[in-house]
Amino acid sequence: MTASVRQDTAPGPRVEPRRSMAVCALIGAAVTAAVDEIVFHQILGWHHFYDRATTSTGLLSDGLLHTAELLALCAGFFLYADLRRRGSLAVPHAWAGLLLGMGAFQLFDGVVDHKLLRLHQIRYGVDVTPYDVAWNLAGLLLLLAGTGLAVRAARRRHGDSGRTE
């Protein structure tokens, strides 16, 4: 067998849709956490991650959140680079994962952190209803857009290969 024949029959890179979606969901959640931390915690100063104690505890909780989001971003981008290097990135699934991660973080923050655990509110001293509605609705829209892209990506993949996963 010649080298050219081996190249023709050698298996190509294996695309990994689920891993692509999971990696980009991690990046999406970390990006949304970063936007929340930078805009609402630091620039606007509306709240800290944990507002049920002293200001120094609130600042500490913001630092821990910021550390976690940066670690998630680094891990996510290393995993993303690995997918790219191996030619395994499924781009449509990656976009779906990014939006799903963004929406999941935002909706989790709005429902669990704000309302169930009451770690903090978006603002204090005002009617928070419009802020809550806007925050949670934006998270829900991101989740719906990510779900739509995921369904579309899965249909394309199944149509391309003629098989189901």
Side-chain angles (χ1 to χ4, degrees), residues 142-155:
L142 286 166
L143 269 179
L144 290 174
T147 301
L149 287 180
V151 168
R152 184 174 161 198
R155 285 184 180 157

Side-chain angles (χ1 to χ4, degrees), residues 6 17 37 39 42 51 59 70 79 84 110 112 126 139 155:
R6 283 186 194 145
E37 170 63 27
V39 173
Q42 295 174 7
D51 275 337
L59 288 172
L70 288 174
L79 294 169
R84 295 279 312 224
V112 175
V126 297
R155 285 184 180 157

Side-chain angles (χ1 to χ4, degrees), residues 17-142:
R18 287 185 182 168
R19 188 163 183 226
S20 298
M21 190 177 295
V23 165
C24 288
L26 176 64
I27 293 171
V31 165
T32 304
V35 169
D36 179 26
E37 170 63 27
I38 293 167
V39 173
F40 296 101
H41 297 214
Q42 295 174 7
I43 294 174
L44 296 174
W46 284 359
H47 61 263
H48 299 293
F49 181 71
Y50 185 70
D51 275 337
R52 300 182 75 172
T54 63
T55 301
S56 62
T57 302
L59 288 172
L60 173 65
S61 69
D62 285 346
L64 293 173
L65 174 64
H66 205 49
T67 301
E69 90 206 16
L70 288 174
L71 290 173
L73 270 175
C74 288
F77 278 114
F78 272 109
L79 294 169
Y80 178 83
D82 181 56
L83 284 169
R84 295 279 312 224
R85 179 185 59 78
R86 292 184 293 112
S88 300
L89 182 68
V91 174
H93 291 82
W95 279 109
L98 183 74
L99 293 179
L100 286 170
M102 293 173 79
F105 176 87
Q106 190 155 340
L107 205 52
F108 180 87
D109 187 44
V111 173
V112 175
D113 293 341
H114 294 180
K115 298 304 168 197
L116 295 178
L117 299 176
R118 298 194 160 278
L119 296 177
H120 62 263
Q121 296 297 316
I122 294 177
R123 292 192 74 180
Y124 294 96
V126 297
D127 179 16
V128 295
T129 303
Y131 296 97
D132 286 338
V133 169
W135 187 257
N136 292 327
L137 186 60
L140 183 62
L141 290 175
L142 286 166

